[in-house]
Amino acid sequence: MSFDLRAALEGVRGRGRLLIMTHDNPDPDSIACALGLQLVVAQVGVEATLGLGGIIGRAENRAMVRELGIELHPLETLTPSDFQLLALCDAQPGGGNCTIFPGRQCDIVIDHHPRRTGALGVPWCDIREDVGASSLIAYSYLRELGIPIDGRLATAFLYALKSETRDLGREAGEPERLAYLELFPLADPVKLYAITSPKLGREHFRAVDRALHAAEVRGSLVTASLGNLEYPDLVAEVADMLLDYDLAHWVLCMGEHRGTVFLSVRTDITDAHAGSLIRRVIGERGAGGGHGMIAGGRLRQPVHNPRELEVVYEDLVERFAAELRIKGPRRPLLA
């Protein structure tokens, strides 16, 4: 059944202010989706504020927000009574990766990850598992309504698509390629360069150094515990980097930020199910999700020192290897 955008818009018309939440520690896809939805609901007079939980850590993501002048308000600075409507972009209720006001129900959910039970009953629920990015859904809204896309928004959408699909090399089909071609001439090339080639802080190189010395190889699986993370996105950055190793088909990276254990999974197997795999590995101990070739998660039980983190790492690596049926000893990536 196709999604009825105009009926959805009528459902929020005149109902007050909207808070659009990205997932915690948002990536470009979540941010661009929220930015597009903000413009869409403005067509029926709904004023929207963009909010986030966690932090924006990755250098490229900080550059995107800075270069495009995107206002993202930390949830703790917002007052619940100021908003009568709540939206989630690139996330779903109960997914464990989005912080919202306690007790509040969602009115809008836009996502491209597998549907969760928490999304049941949401009036505006547009979950398209067959698209490569949630921002592509917001982009389709603008095209359907005939809303012009300026250079700022085109740059946000294009970078989100580049980032989420790794330049159309991961989980990208005809819709993604068409959107890429349509957005490219509209985007600001100077800002896009500033976003894709930012200066990197010392914390990035420290993490890379730790990763290279900690990384272990078992068959086609590469794993690494990064210890303390200066920001949660570091596990994803390192996982992307380690997947470039010529024998790697699966990567699991983990570390802790302020006591919380974060995980990131990457694979180059096109028909893999990384999201369901990480949920099986984590089980009831936390929350995880993703889609075919990319996934992430975090554990509920905090760790208090490096030894506790090491115990968690050893357990998760063994569970992960067992799920993949990869056997044999682990050896250091670097001699």
Side-chain angles (χ1 to χ4, degrees), residues 11 18 38 45 74 123 127 170 178 197 207 235 241 255 274 297 300 312 315 328 335:
L18 170 66
Q38 184 181 42
I127 298 174
R170 178 176 65 193
L178 288 175
S197 306
V235 290
M241 177 190 73
R300 297 188 183 93
V312 172
D315 178 61

Side-chain angles (χ1 to χ4, degrees), residues 39-250:
L39 181 56
V40 168
V41 297
Q43 307 308 304
V44 292
V46 174
E47 179 185 351
T49 297
L50 307 189
L52 82 157
I55 62 174
I56 301 174
R58 196 164 183 161
E60 294 94 328
N61 302 353
R62 294 198 304 269
M64 175 184 181
V65 171
R66 180 183 66 249
E67 292 293 327
L68 301 181
I70 301 172
E71 292 188 24
L72 285 165
H73 302 269
L75 187 66
E76 60 269 21
T77 67
L78 301 173
T79 303
S81 60
D82 288 342
F83 303 96
Q84 293 71 49
L85 296 165
L86 176 64
L88 292 185
C89 284
D90 201 32
Q92 298 176 44
N97 68 335
C98 186
T99 305
I100 60 176
F101 295 130
R104 288 292 292 269
Q105 300 297 312
C106 288
D107 302 278
I108 301 173
V109 168
I110 299 173
D111 197 14
H112 73 128
H113 298 97
R115 187 179 297 270
R116 293 178 176 268
T117 57
L120 295 173
V122 175
W124 178 334
C125 184
D126 194 357
I127 298 174
R128 308 184 193 181
E129 298 179 35
D130 59 337
V131 304
S134 294
S135 53
L136 196 63
I137 302 173
Y139 171 69
S140 74
Y141 293 165
L142 296 174
R143 293 188 72 231
E144 181 177 342
L145 297 172
I147 301 171
I149 298 176
D150 61 15
R152 172 176 177 261
L153 192 54
T155 305
F157 279 144
L158 183 61
Y159 180 62
L161 195 55
K162 284 168 63 68
S163 174
E164 194 73 3
T165 67
R166 299 200 78 176
D167 284 307
L168 302 182
R170 178 176 65 193
E171 299 178 15
E174 189 67 15
E176 289 75 24
R177 288 190 289 270
L178 288 175
Y180 194 102
L181 293 173
E182 291 169 356
L183 290 165
F184 189 84
L186 301 175
D188 185 323
V190 175
K191 292 188 180 298
L192 188 62
Y193 175 78
I195 294 168
T196 56
S197 306
K199 289 290 188 180
L200 300 171
R202 186 173 295 179
E203 65 275 5
H204 171 85
F205 297 100
R206 281 199 294 259
V208 169
D209 179 68
R210 289 199 305 272
L212 292 176
H213 287 89
E216 299 174 310
V217 180
R218 178 187 289 177
S220 62
L221 171 63
V222 179
T223 61
S225 176
L226 304 183
N228 176 260
L229 305 168
E230 298 195 42
Y231 53 89
D233 281 354
L234 275 170
V235 290
E237 287 185 54
V238 171
D240 284 334
M241 177 190 73
L242 291 177
L243 190 59
D244 290 336
Y245 174 51
D246 61 355
L247 298 183
H249 293 299
W250 287 94

